[in-house]
Amino acid sequence: MEIKRNHIINVKTILFYGVLYKNGELFTKVMEGDDMFLVAMTPLQFINQSLIKYGSDLKGALNSSKKLLGEKQKKYPIKISSSLDIYLFPTKAIKRDDCVWLSLKHVKGSRAMGVKYTIVFLSDGHMITIEMKESSFRNKWKDTQDLRDMIIYNKQHSLNILVDHKKGIHIIEVKGKYRCRMPKENKKVQENKSN
């Protein structure tokens, strides 16, 4: 199996999980499209390296998820890149070697298989059976959809501030001191108010 050294999570990444390599080192097994390969990093290193490339880190991504979803959970989904629509969610505690990370955009459905197992249907006709109740899986899936929806909402409803350089105050540093200069229009309004 191919081993990659500097790979990052991208729009084709369907899922990944930890596997012990020949030397006992924990690597990450990745599914992208019809390809499976190893990345010479632990799953958490793989996530963190990817987040750094996209301008964040794992600690920040987890903190953001906690703030947006509330501190009621144990296994938080994370945003890798909102512009690329990459959101991941774990099936187990994130420090566990057998935790599977699934990409929200590649999860197509699920079905219970007995009491303790769930079959997850993925892009390109792939499937994975995980040891997790389907109701728990669906909750994790929904939490990830909620995180995505909140981030999209916040981006669409942020304030758009237009700066009019003719109306603002100009602060100038001269010899270590700051002087404020008001534009002529503002000076006229101020003069009229004082008269």
Side-chain angles (χ1 to χ4, degrees):
M1 182 171 285
E2 180 185 4
I3 298 176
K4 298 186 178 188
R5 303 259 172 230
N6 293 314
H7 192 73
I8 63 169
I9 297 163
N10 59 70
V11 294
K12 294 179 187 176
T13 306
I14 296 172
L15 64 78
F16 57 89
Y17 53 92
V19 293
L20 288 175
Y21 193 59
K22 295 173 189 173
N23 58 4
E25 238 182 310
L26 185 64
F27 281 8
T28 302
K29 193 168 197 174
V30 180
M31 175 187 281
E32 285 186 4
D34 290 329
D35 295 331
M36 292 282 295
F37 53 86
L38 294 175
V39 175
M41 292 180 238
T42 69
L44 292 180
Q45 289 170 337
F46 181 48
I47 292 169
N48 199 48
Q49 179 72 22
S50 298
L51 282 164
I52 289 168
K53 296 278 185 177
Y54 291 120
S56 184
D57 66 12
L58 183 56
K59 185 177 178 183
L62 287 169
N63 189 42
S64 176
S65 293
K66 284 179 187 177
K67 297 290 184 195
L68 290 169
L69 296 172
E71 303 209 12
K72 60 182 171 35
Q73 303 186 22
K74 294 179 183 174
K75 300 173 246 174
Y76 286 94
I78 57 171
K79 173 197 69 146
I80 299 294
S81 169
S82 59
S83 61
L84 296 174
D85 197 32
I86 304 172
Y87 295 84
L88 302 176
F89 62 101
T91 60
K92 298 183 184 331
I94 65 172
K95 292 185 179 178
R96 287 186 52 168
D97 296 349
D98 59 343
C99 174
V100 176
W101 287 86
L102 298 160
S103 176
L104 176 64
K105 73 184 329 173
H106 292 289
V107 175
K108 303 304 178 192
S110 65
R111 186 175 68 220
M113 187 170 176
V115 178
K116 289 176 37 176
Y117 293 92
T118 301
I119 298 174
V120 181
F121 301 98
L122 305 162
S123 296
D124 300 326
H126 301 302
M127 294 181 280
I128 183 170
T129 301
I130 56 173
E131 189 176 346
M132 179 185 235
K133 289 181 182 178
E134 189 190 19
S135 59
S136 297
F137 173 78
R138 286 194 168 274
N139 288 338
K140 292 289 140 210
W141 188 12
K142 184 185 179 314
D143 288 342
T144 312
Q145 291 167 335
D146 290 347
L147 176 66
R148 179 182 178 271
D149 292 346
M150 283 182 214
I151 290 171
I152 289 170
Y153 178 86
N154 290 342
K155 283 172 58 176
Q156 291 173 346
H157 293 87
S158 63
L159 293 175
N160 292 322
I161 301 171
L162 298 174
V163 178
D164 185 350
H165 296 289
K166 295 176 186 172
K167 293 183 181 179
I169 297 171
H170 185 180
I171 302 171
I172 305 166
E173 181 180 8
V174 179
K175 296 181 183 177
K177 295 187 179 184
Y178 296 95
R179 296 187 182 155
C180 296
R181 194 179 281 173
M182 294 175 64
K184 290 179 185 178
E185 287 179 9
N186 286 354
K187 283 184 185 177
K188 287 178 188 174
V189 170
Q190 293 252 328
E191 287 170 9
N192 290 338
K193 284 183 182 178
S194 56
N195 289 337

